[in-house]
Amino acid sequence: MSEQSNDLRETVRQHYAAAAVQVTEGGSACCGPQAIEVDDTFGSTLYADDREALPAEAVAASLGCGNPTAVADLREGERVLDLGSGGGIDVLLSARRVGPTGTAYGLDMTEEMLALALANQKKAGATNVEFLKGVIEAIPLPANTIDVVISNCVVNLSTDKPAVFAETFRVLKPGGRIGISDVLADDTLTPGQRAERGEYVGCIAGALSFTEYRDDLRAAGFTDIEITPTHAVADGMHSAIVRAAKPAATAAEAVPAAKTCCGVTACCTPAEVSADPDTTVGEAKAAVGCGCGCGS
């Protein structure tokens, strides 16, 4: 990672660490936690139907541009991962939707946010939740283990978005899917013009264009890509819902390759064929002196 990328990541970390501290310290005040100041295009106002069921600190720490749990179609028993989970609002909502047989993971790089999220988990009494420390460019989970990946206005903060999409694809099970809220730019805006409209830590300067986002998802292997803008967050910048899927395993991937025996595959079954396409089954068996006579 370049020095500039490291500097940007540290700037992002410091910004969200300070936000977590603001909420935590506000929690000791008589009137409850102090909500982070955002306008009506970001934050807890986008969770109108869900706020009452969550700890006040989880709601106060919300800095996202959407409500990905409302569009991810989470189901009982699924394993869901939230990239950049912050104070835990989307993880806690996901945990309720997947139920006791499912699991909701939250991944965040900021110690202060993780501490806040763990406190919120305890207040919510959520037992099917696990918070992980790490970066979204190197997800600390095994491949092919997650049903759904969600994220709320975090991918735009990464300095290596292709790595985020590649890692997301890796941890998803075949047939798994993503439901992401993120900020995207009109295709006509250059990176410089995006930076003029807002800061990197404000989810604006680092945003991809609609075409760039789609191309990066496709390059990672995703299919069925849908990107739907929901509301403007700046001139030419939009909050959007992003859906995509990891293709289901093909028959060849799902079933181990047949072992070769006596110069043929599937020896002594109706499906046996010569391992050498230029010879018959009988010729293949004769060439290796196979004692199995079936199909010869």
Side-chain angles (χ1 to χ4, degrees), residues 6-226:
N6 279 325
D7 289 345
L8 279 173
R9 175 181 283 178
E10 178 58 18
T11 299
V12 170
R13 190 200 66 77
Q14 291 178 3
H15 177 80
Y16 288 93
V21 170
Q22 176 181 322
V23 171
T24 302
E25 291 181 347
S28 62
C30 64
C31 299
Q34 179 183 359
I36 299 166
E37 292 183 7
V38 288
D39 59 29
D40 58 5
T41 62
F42 291 89
S44 62
T45 58
L46 303 172
Y47 290 85
D49 297 331
D50 296 305
R51 285 181 288 177
E52 295 302 320
L54 295 170
E57 289 81 0
V59 176
S62 175
L63 286 162
C65 58
N67 182 353
T69 61
V71 301
D73 189 26
L74 301 179
R75 303 157 195 163
E76 286 276 341
E78 289 189 319
R79 293 159 63 93
V80 57
L81 167 66
D82 180 20
L83 300 180
S85 49
I89 186 170
D90 292 313
V91 177
L92 296 176
L93 287 172
S94 296
R96 294 174 60 203
R97 286 170 168 79
V98 301
T101 60
T103 305
Y105 296 93
L107 174 63
D108 206 281
M109 68 176 181
T110 308
E111 289 278 5
E112 293 84 352
M113 276 295 185
L114 286 169
L116 177 59
L118 288 168
N120 288 330
Q121 175 190 356
K122 185 176 181 179
K123 290 175 182 176
T127 58
N128 58 337
V129 164
E130 184 175 346
F131 288 102
L132 308 168
K133 184 180 180 182
V135 296
I136 62 176
E137 298 87 357
I139 299 171
L141 286 171
N144 306 313
T145 55
I146 299 297
D147 296 293
V148 188
V149 172
I150 63 173
S151 186
N152 195 352
C153 208
V154 172
V155 174
N156 64 77
L157 295 171
S158 172
T159 58
D160 190 354
K161 296 171 181 66
V164 175
F165 295 134
E167 277 291 275
T168 300
F169 189 88
R170 180 186 66 82
V171 300
L172 279 171
K173 297 176 181 178
R177 60 199 188 278
I178 64 172
I180 292 175
S181 293
D182 212 354
V183 171
L184 281 73
D186 285 342
D187 289 337
T188 56
L189 295 182
T190 66
Q193 290 171 327
R194 299 169 209 174
E196 292 171 356
R197 285 157 170 76
E199 295 181 292
Y200 201 97
V201 295
C203 304
I204 302 296
L208 295 173
S209 72
F210 284 86
T211 295
E212 290 167 344
Y213 214 105
R214 186 181 298 275
D215 288 348
D216 281 358
L217 285 171
R218 189 178 293 115
F222 286 99
T223 59
D224 302 325
I225 301 167
E226 299 177 5

